[in-house]
Amino acid sequence: MTTLYAGRDGKIRQITIPELFTLRNKPEYSDTIIWADLESPTEEEEETLLVNFFLFHHLAVEDCQRERLTPHIGDHYPKVEDYHDCLFVIFNPVDRPIEENENSNDESKYCVHFPTRQMNAFLGTNFLVTHHYEPSLAINYVQNLCLKNPQTLQRGPDFLFHIIIDEIVDNYTPVIEYFDKQLDELEACIFQDFEPSTLPKILSLKKGIIRLRKISTYQREILNRLSRGEFTLISTEEMLYYRNVYDHLVRISDLVESYRENIAGLLEAYLSVNSNRMNQVMKVLTVISTIFLPLTFISSIYGMNFRFMPELEWRYGYFIIWSIIIGIGAFMLRLFSKKGWLE
Amino acid sequence: MTTLYAGRDGKIRQITIPELFTLRNKPEYSDTIIWADLESPTEEEEETLLVNFFLFHHLAVEDCQRERLTPHIGDHYPKVEDYHDCLFVIFNPVDRPIEENENSNDESKYCVHFPTRQMNAFLGTNFLVTHHYEPSLAINYVQNLCLKNPQTLQRGPDFLFHIIIDEIVDNYTPVIEYFDKQLDELEACIFQDFEPSTLPKILSLKKGIIRLRKISTYQREILNRLSRGEFTLISTEEMLYYRNVYDHLVRISDLVESYRENIAGLLEAYLSVNSNRMNQVMKVLTVISTIFLPLTFISSIYGMNFRFMPELEWRYGYFIIWSIIIGIGAFMLRLFSKKGWLE
Amino acid sequence: MTTLYAGRDGKIRQITIPELFTLRNKPEYSDTIIWADLESPTEEEEETLLVNFFLFHHLAVEDCQRERLTPHIGDHYPKVEDYHDCLFVIFNPVDRPIEENENSNDESKYCVHFPTRQMNAFLGTNFLVTHHYEPSLAINYVQNLCLKNPQTLQRGPDFLFHIIIDEIVDNYTPVIEYFDKQLDELEACIFQDFEPSTLPKILSLKKGIIRLRKISTYQREILNRLSRGEFTLISTEEMLYYRNVYDHLVRISDLVESYRENIAGLLEAYLSVNSNRMNQVMKVLTVISTIFLPLTFISSIYGMNFRFMPELEWRYGYFIIWSIIIGIGAFMLRLFSKKGWLE
Amino acid sequence: MTTLYAGRDGKIRQITIPELFTLRNKPEYSDTIIWADLESPTEEEEETLLVNFFLFHHLAVEDCQRERLTPHIGDHYPKVEDYHDCLFVIFNPVDRPIEENENSNDESKYCVHFPTRQMNAFLGTNFLVTHHYEPSLAINYVQNLCLKNPQTLQRGPDFLFHIIIDEIVDNYTPVIEYFDKQLDELEACIFQDFEPSTLPKILSLKKGIIRLRKISTYQREILNRLSRGEFTLISTEEMLYYRNVYDHLVRISDLVESYRENIAGLLEAYLSVNSNRMNQVMKVLTVISTIFLPLTFISSIYGMNFRFMPELEWRYGYFIIWSIIIGIGAFMLRLFSKKGWLE
Amino acid sequence: MTTLYAGRDGKIRQITIPELFTLRNKPEYSDTIIWADLESPTEEEEETLLVNFFLFHHLAVEDCQRERLTPHIGDHYPKVEDYHDCLFVIFNPVDRPIEENENSNDESKYCVHFPTRQMNAFLGTNFLVTHHYEPSLAINYVQNLCLKNPQTLQRGPDFLFHIIIDEIVDNYTPVIEYFDKQLDELEACIFQDFEPSTLPKILSLKKGIIRLRKISTYQREILNRLSRGEFTLISTEEMLYYRNVYDHLVRISDLVESYRENIAGLLEAYLSVNSNRMNQVMKVLTVISTIFLPLTFISSIYGMNFRFMPELEWRYGYFIIWSIIIGIGAFMLRLFSKKGWLE
């Protein structure tokens, strides 16, 4: 579904593709600002708009279509390319994380996954083309904003594009909050009610955090380049706004980096707590064995059937043995208590 | 609470906001130095001073207000931005660490936390605006200094700002001393009276130290930029003073870095000591089992009820068995003593 | 087997080496594009073409022959060298991984190995020479392409070379997919049916992934240099195509980097799961010992042969002892069940 | 104690502070070379010489006094500052390491500590001022050298300063040799006579080595700057001498770096050897239990009091049981011997 | 033993030191190429040639003599220094590794050591001086080459020096092959016949590999500088040859880096295999204890001497007990077999 907006003299209107071709030949075209949003476009729409109308370079168009053409080769990392008459930008929105075994009982397959999308944009002096195969919250938000406040479009495609990117970056927040919550839960699982099955969760979360770190670092680099005046299509006064989004991404990167350190600490903690629990088990075993093995030995002595065993004939032999047994037991317990093994 | 100081001809006086607006139209304005300190200002005060009087860029003003607007997205890392007519600086004071479970008994929730604040400053040719939502020890100190010694203001806003930053950096000392003391205590907990419950404390302290390292590194970078002549609003002769604060921060970073190495060493030590203690437990178990299992076997042999067991009939059978048992026991003990398992 | 192609006026024909020498003296030579592919050439062919006809520098020719001359000194890492009249490029195709113990039973010698080849190319203004000792899928593909579409050759040797490199990079995919599949299998081996013998597989896979990372990083660097306008023999408009291959390699590097992180996580998981299993074993031992050692002690007490043991005479002595034994056993089991040791 | 030397026409003489003030007004002052050494000076001497005579910047003077003013904020890292008319250098000599528990018996408090000092120097066109609060071996050595060979002073303050720094760096050797010896001793403690109490020593040595690495890296950076022509006060021909000291420091850094790797290896070795020893203990336990538990079971069978147990009546029952017991024992021992558990 | 060669008009002859001094005053000196090789020279020879004839800077001469003067301060790392009229290069040949305990039985002192030498060279427009305290294979090889092919000297000292360096780098191969072989042996020691005593070998090999990595990286840096046109004494056309040696060193560095990764993997493998073996021991212990402790308990029950124990009187009591015992044993074995503990 392709939507086209044309803005002129502070007014905005939605146009169709044929109207766009007509508009090009009118004198008012030069001071009209066009925003073409291609949401999950058909191949024909892509051909008509990207290739025939805007005459974009075919490598850039192929990059746009990568999600459809070669979905198996990892995420497309973001990039900016300067084609002189336009700037081609790939940016990555992220979706809410999906816990893949939410409905399954097999804990060992626990897996955190948050999908990334590919948002492609072409930024020209008087046009902005956005292209994406999945509906985008950010685009919808900005469309509503433009319709409510037509001046937004009038400030130029670079200003418009900055709002879209800002929205995309704002939509990173749920992912970050999800990780924050998960870290807290895992910390409770380790230090309060230790569950050995926490391990796959920790490793899966770590993978997710490392992936988010990579993604946010890449987006940050793109915004760094957009905000430092490398591209003439972004005017000097808009650069400040891009810098603002960049600052936001730096804060996100920092947070994610600190999550990565926390999760590494949690892994260490898991291993240590696990080893402490084993120590605990060993202590119980040792205390029990060390008390009962000698006692059993003593009693087995007097179970021997030698004809001549003087103690067996003593009147209080049995009670003496009980005293010895209780004495040894008490002594052992005191020893262990002093060593702190009874805790 | 907003406080305004105007300094001229080596004298200083406190003025109100309306007086400030009046002052602007007087000829003496150009050689008056203004220091406006906005401590937890109302939104109205921010509007009047930052936007209407000083005409600061709205992105900078929004950054100032970040602690109020979006408190959830991590710390605002410090930054310097050059708006030509003024320099916008964000700097982070730190507070004393708070041990969150001071009054609780649940050791597993032990957590070291030291809050960071956001100190915003706008530095112009003849004004300094400081803006913060929490009372600041550094600001109070410098206010007293100015009132006692009005010449301080006369040396220009860059000199004034350097004193504030110097004070903020001095206030890092309690945090550092706190970590120093904690490290010593933990070392005692590990090497003297080993407590398995030290682990959450180590991990929490490590987190705190990593955070402090990040913060001090960021502040250092800011001071590095302020002191190397990048900004014309800081005069060449004041740069030396900024360099001095920078040196101070380098020393702090170094200390914190060495703390980080110490805490990593403590974690290793904790794990090793724990494992040594387990070895100790295992040795006790092995010594006891290895002594009493064979002895119990021997005595159980003579507990058998075979009709024809010649030893049982011997007159000194029982005493011979005791000799064998004592002999085996002594031999075992000597063996273990030689292997060093009895320590 | 050496194949020569001469392209002129949009037509292509295969020529022999003598024809090539004749062609040089004709006026049409200057606008003919030559592609010489030396597949496992004889030393004589190398001498005739590389040294006598094209007059390449003898160090470059020796580099070409390295696979034959000094096969023992590791992989030849890729490189680009500018000899002014031509560009000498070494590039590394990779083959499908070979599992060396596919037919053997000795698990301890498990080894993943994927061979790398050396593809040498000389790129001039009107010629491209490719040289390799092993048949190359990429070369075969481009030969077919040229014969089907003679215009391909007409776009110049730099365009032709980019197609070859693009094909080589496409052929990295099976290796990547192999690693992806292996990682999934290992994850199942660790979290579902734990096999202690997974360890050599993990370490071998890790080695392979590290090697692939190194190789893809090196190729990426070469393409980075080819695509950023460092060499005049690659025209500005072709640079975009090289950039495209570079982007592809960046995605591959990223994937391989994430595999490296996964395999490191798997190693950690292996160690932890292994240690968990040991904990499990220890718990069983402890539970059994802790229940039966005291019970055996009790029964051994009443196996003693003292003349005066009042309990033995009691009518219900035996049943009382059974009650005590069952009571202690039940109490112990409840205790362990509460501690979670019975899981 | 302040010592002043004035050198002129290849002669050297010691002068007093008043003489120095007199000298300034004489025409011969310009070609006299002054070396002022302030060893643990009084505050008055510092005031007179540093502030009043040489007119050094007050921040540099405060840096000199840091060891007295704020001794708690870590080591002062070295630095070079160019004040146009003079170069201010802070350099760090190190003292022999002190083993803090040399006379104590508490092994857990073992601690290696080597103090660093702060050597401050001001280098001008015709003067060198050295300032330090502790007696310095290097200064004493150079004073003797100057008195023996007055030409030394004549070659200029930059040459003189290089000799002092060279001496300071030479005095790093005892520290390095100390670490070398300690590493050898620790290696013997681990691989020859394993002592579990080696751990605190390893960790303490590691701390010391990391500290020395940091210090030597910092000094190296300073010498790198002094030797690469950044400062005009060091003449081109003297730069080679500074380069020589720099080379020396690079070798020291390299050595210390390799020590750091060795100590990390020792820590790994300690943990592994410890774990090997535990394995040894476990094997003994397992061998003993596995032999005697089944045997005791057998003998306890025939200790049962059933009325009808046919074996008990057999004439050779007892001897048959002994054969079975010895048979099982021998079989077990052979099994363990084959598994290599008896080593 | 000092050897001097003078080459002119494509001829080469060996000359003595006095002849060299005579030659200097002849007009043919300017187009004669001199190669002076000082192999373990006397101090007098060093004085005569290095100081008096060639007038080298005394710091460079002292660097040459470092191996004799201060042998204790680590390896001299390589370097290049440009003294305008000559280039001073230090380069490090390596010798075959020596296994220090080859003839000893004490495995704990296993140590791999390969000595490095110091090869000093002075490269001028028409002379090359090589200086070394140990006989050098590379020098001998090049001497033979020069005598066989006098043209070699005629191509200039830079060409001659490149052959020497190339030979030195070729002589790294035995060291690399040694490490390769050792790694294979260690891998067999770990995965096939596990020996706990492999640990010191792994750690020692790791140390050696880290050292080789450092050395090869340093040499590589030197060759990088020699090959990139930094020094005018190396002509542009010879730079390609230096580049070739540089490529060779890059391949060596890469190999050594991959060895370092392998040895780290082996260390991990050693620890894991060791821990697996311990698991194995624990399982045996647990299986045996878990089977025999309950059984012994049962038999000890019927060893009690209560007057009234009905089972004892039963005719088939004994056989019933045996059935129970065998039943429990079989059940346990099946349980363990299902858990995979019997493998």
Side-chain angles (χ1 to χ4, degrees), chain B residues 243 246-248 250-251 254, chain D residues 66 74-79 81 90-92 118 218-219 222:
Chain B
R243 186 89 204 160
Y246 169 76
D247 282 358
H248 194 159
V250 169
R251 282 202 301 281
D254 263 24
Chain D
R66 202 202 58 81
D75 298 328
H76 199 301
Y77 71 108
K79 69 172 175 184
E81 265 173 349
I90 300 180
F91 206 77
N92 296 123
Q118 186 176 338
Y218 281 177
Q219 317 296 325
I222 293 305

Side-chain angles (χ1 to χ4, degrees), chain A residues 28-174:
Chain A
E28 72 208 54
Y29 179 66
S30 64
D31 58 336
T32 305
I33 289 178
I34 308 285
W35 175 22
D37 175 55
L38 285 78
E39 182 182 318
S40 351
T42 60
E43 285 182 53
E44 204 193 315
E45 284 175 333
E46 286 176 345
E47 185 73 21
T48 315
L49 277 172
L50 305 182
V51 180
N52 296 339
F53 185 84
F54 288 110
L55 307 166
F56 295 140
H57 195 283
H58 75 99
L59 283 175
V61 174
E62 273 168 29
D63 269 344
C64 282
Q65 298 167 335
R66 203 201 57 81
E67 235 175 46
R68 203 181 63 212
L69 301 177
T70 53
H72 55 285
I73 322 178
D75 297 329
H76 199 303
Y77 70 110
K79 68 173 176 182
V80 202
E81 266 172 349
D82 196 346
Y83 286 90
H84 302 298
D85 53 338
C86 77
L87 213 59
F88 173 52
V89 184
I90 300 180
F91 205 78
N92 297 124
V94 298
D95 275 13
R96 295 190 67 85
I98 302 157
E99 291 180 44
E100 284 193 353
N101 72 335
E102 260 174 358
N103 303 316
S104 109
N105 289 317
D106 183 0
E107 292 219 5
S108 66
K109 288 211 76 137
Y110 182 91
C111 177
V112 177
H113 186 68
F114 56 97
T116 53
R117 307 293 175 202
Q118 185 176 338
M119 166 68 67
N120 310 293
F122 296 86
L123 187 68
T125 43
N126 68 336
F127 64 84
L128 172 71
V129 178
T130 50
H131 173 282
H132 46 110
Y133 285 116
E134 302 277 337
S136 160
L137 289 175
I139 293 284
N140 294 348
Y141 170 83
V142 181
Q143 283 175 335
N144 289 333
L145 194 77
C146 283
L147 295 174
K148 265 191 286 178
N149 181 3
Q151 296 289 354
T152 312
L153 199 55
Q154 216 56 30
R155 290 193 57 178
D158 47 355
F159 184 76
L160 192 69
F161 184 52
H162 127 261
I163 309 178
I164 294 172
I165 282 188
D166 200 18
E167 268 302 298
I168 289 174
V169 172
D170 273 357
N171 287 331
Y172 277 47
T173 312

Side-chain angles (χ1 to χ4, degrees), chain D residues 95-335:
Chain D
D95 275 13
R96 296 191 66 84
I98 300 157
E99 290 179 46
E100 284 192 354
N101 71 335
E102 259 173 358
N103 304 316
S104 109
N105 289 317
D106 183 1
E107 292 219 5
S108 66
K109 289 213 73 137
Y110 182 91
C111 178
V112 176
H113 185 69
F114 56 98
T116 54
R117 307 292 174 204
Q118 186 176 338
M119 165 69 66
N120 310 293
F122 297 87
L123 187 68
T125 44
N126 68 336
F127 63 84
L128 171 72
V129 179
T130 50
H131 173 282
H132 45 111
Y133 284 118
E134 302 277 335
S136 160
L137 288 176
I139 294 285
N140 295 348
Y141 169 84
V142 180
Q143 283 175 334
N144 288 333
L145 194 78
C146 284
L147 295 174
K148 264 191 288 179
N149 182 2
Q151 296 288 354
T152 312
L153 200 54
Q154 215 56 30
R155 291 193 57 177
D158 47 357
F159 183 77
L160 194 68
F161 185 50
H162 128 261
I163 309 179
I164 294 172
I165 283 188
D166 200 18
E167 269 300 299
I168 288 174
V169 172
D170 274 356
N171 288 331
Y172 277 47
T173 312
V175 185
I176 288 167
E177 280 167 357
Y178 171 82
F179 282 129
D180 203 25
K181 199 170 122 271
Q182 288 290 310
L183 278 171
D184 282 353
E185 281 179 16
L186 282 181
E187 199 162 342
C189 278
I190 289 170
F191 287 117
Q192 280 152 31
D193 314 298
F194 185 80
E195 294 175 31
S197 63
T198 311
L199 185 68
K201 280 192 200 167
I202 297 178
L203 291 174
S204 167
L205 199 63
K206 195 178 164 192
K207 236 194 238 174
I209 286 174
I210 287 176
R211 187 155 159 259
L212 182 57
R213 183 174 64 144
K214 201 182 69 181
I215 294 170
S216 60
T217 311
Y218 281 177
Q219 317 296 325
R220 197 184 64 189
E221 272 328 288
I222 293 305
L223 273 159
N224 192 14
R225 291 183 63 196
L226 291 174
S227 68
R228 72 182 179 211
E230 189 179 333
F231 306 108
T232 49
L233 279 164
I234 291 172
S235 62
T236 319
E237 64 175 8
E238 304 301 346
M239 265 159 54
L240 270 175
Y241 292 94
Y242 284 91
R243 187 87 203 161
N244 203 32
V245 185
Y246 169 75
D247 282 357
H248 194 158
L249 270 168
V250 169
R251 282 201 300 281
I252 287 175
S253 294
D254 263 25
L255 258 184
V256 176
E257 180 63 31
S258 73
Y259 289 169
R260 204 189 56 80
E261 278 155 4
N262 287 5
I263 195 89
L266 281 186
L267 193 59
E268 276 174 345
Y270 171 85
L271 297 174
S272 303
V273 170
N274 210 357
S275 143
N276 277 347
R277 285 165 57 88
M278 179 141 170
N279 273 10
Q280 209 56 36
V281 170
M282 293 305 299
K283 276 187 206 161
V284 169
L285 175 60
T286 303
V287 166
I288 292 290
S289 305
T290 311
I291 290 176
F292 286 103
L293 283 180
L295 298 187
T296 305
F297 164 67
I298 289 171
S299 62
S300 78
I301 283 286
Y302 294 101
M304 291 193 295
N305 298 318
F306 284 100
R307 173 168 293 185
F308 184 70
M309 286 176 70
E311 298 95 325
L312 296 182
E313 310 302 319
W314 297 352
R315 183 159 181 87
Y316 297 107
Y318 179 54
F319 301 104
I320 290 168
I321 285 300
W322 262 119
S323 316
I324 292 174
I325 282 173
I326 290 171
I328 291 178
F331 172 78
M332 290 283 194
L333 280 175
R334 244 193 95 199
L335 207 80

